[in-house]
Amino acid sequence: MTAITLIEDAATLNSQLASLDLAGRLSLVAGLGGRAVFTTSLGIEDQVITAEIGNHRLPIEVATLQTGRLFPETLALIDETESQYDIKIVRYEPEQADIDAYAEKYGLNGFYESVEARHACCGVRKLKPLARALSGASIWITGLRRGQSANRADTPFAEFDPERNLIKINPLADWDIDVIRAYVANNSVPVNPLHARGYPSIGCEPCTRAIKPGEPERAGRWWWENDEKRECGLHVHEEGAAATQ
């Protein structure tokens, strides 16, 4: 399909998804045909989506980027989630050769020293594995929400991803954190115990801290950097990647 067609399809989907509940949104996407992949970080939002996929037995692949630097609590939650919903979460790991090359150039924890080094680490441990996870996919489903940060305030339900030439679906775009928490409580969804310890957004262990009262949800990610638009590069287009990865 051409980029123009995908842009038009994404615009149509964005309108259709707005009027549906979460189950309806995911069912609509699952019925579009082609390979649909949901990438989960095992955060509270992603656990809600996984619960819907598992409970409704939707034909959506569930994948996670097992970076090699995740919290033990996150790793344990992968197994717990698979067991509860009788699903397989496919792990995509970085290549050892890429890790070795990074460590030789920057040092294993060189991401603390410069933004360039941190971008490079995210590239090795997240972006390259993501590329493998999405190879051949026509739909990419994420847990992005408008309330997560100012940088995500305009998140649509559906958008064309020009870097990966697919349609990206954000079915929780309009959900706020209180609705997320209520869903989790009412449906006995397993969540990362770090959330209760002040970690609303959880990534790699060396790059994540608990937030302080009044801080935005993602303030604990790459906390030593000053840029308020800090991202790993998964959810930014190429023209903005240099500033916001």
Side-chain angles (χ1 to χ4, degrees), residues 88-236:
K88 175 63 178 176
I89 299 176
V90 182
R91 284 82 153 165
Y92 288 88
E93 301 178 354
E95 299 288 348
Q96 187 61 49
D98 290 335
I99 294 174
D100 292 343
Y102 176 88
E104 182 176 354
K105 182 175 182 179
Y106 298 105
L108 185 62
N109 294 327
F111 43 81
Y112 291 126
E113 303 302 322
S114 71
V115 174
E116 174 196 356
R118 202 268 290 172
H119 289 176
C121 187
C122 289
V124 165
R125 294 185 182 273
K126 300 180 76 171
L127 294 182
K128 293 184 74 171
L130 176 69
R132 299 201 308 273
L134 296 180
S135 178
S138 55
I139 297 288
W140 175 24
I141 301 168
T142 85
L144 293 183
R145 293 189 298 106
R146 295 166 189 160
Q148 289 170 327
S149 68
N151 199 40
R152 299 181 176 184
D154 297 322
T155 298
F157 297 112
E159 58 187 315
F160 171 57
D161 186 323
E163 309 303 323
R164 302 171 180 92
N165 197 41
L166 48 64
I167 294 178
K168 183 176 176 183
I169 303 293
N170 309 304
L172 295 179
D174 60 343
W175 283 42
D176 64 33
I177 190 61
D178 291 334
V179 175
I180 294 282
R181 289 170 178 158
Y183 179 100
V184 164
N186 293 335
N187 294 277
S188 301
V189 177
V191 297
N192 197 318
L194 292 172
H195 288 313
R197 302 176 203 161
Y199 292 78
S201 179
I202 303 167
C204 291
E205 185 170 11
C207 301
T208 310
R209 66 159 172 79
I211 66 170
K212 302 171 185 177
E215 285 188 317
E217 290 182 32
R218 289 177 60 80
R221 305 294 296 277
W222 310 291
W223 36 268
W224 62 92
E225 296 181 11
N226 295 321
D227 185 358
E228 293 183 358
K229 294 184 177 181
R230 295 184 300 270
E231 293 277 357
C232 63
L234 298 182
H235 302 294
V236 294

Side-chain angles (χ1 to χ4, degrees), residues 2 12 28 31 49 55 58 110 114 116 131 163 182 187 191 196 213 220 229 239:
T2 67
T12 299
L28 173 61
I49 296 175
N55 288 334
L58 296 175
S114 71
E116 174 196 356
E163 309 303 323
N187 294 277
V191 297
K229 294 184 177 181
E239 61 268 23

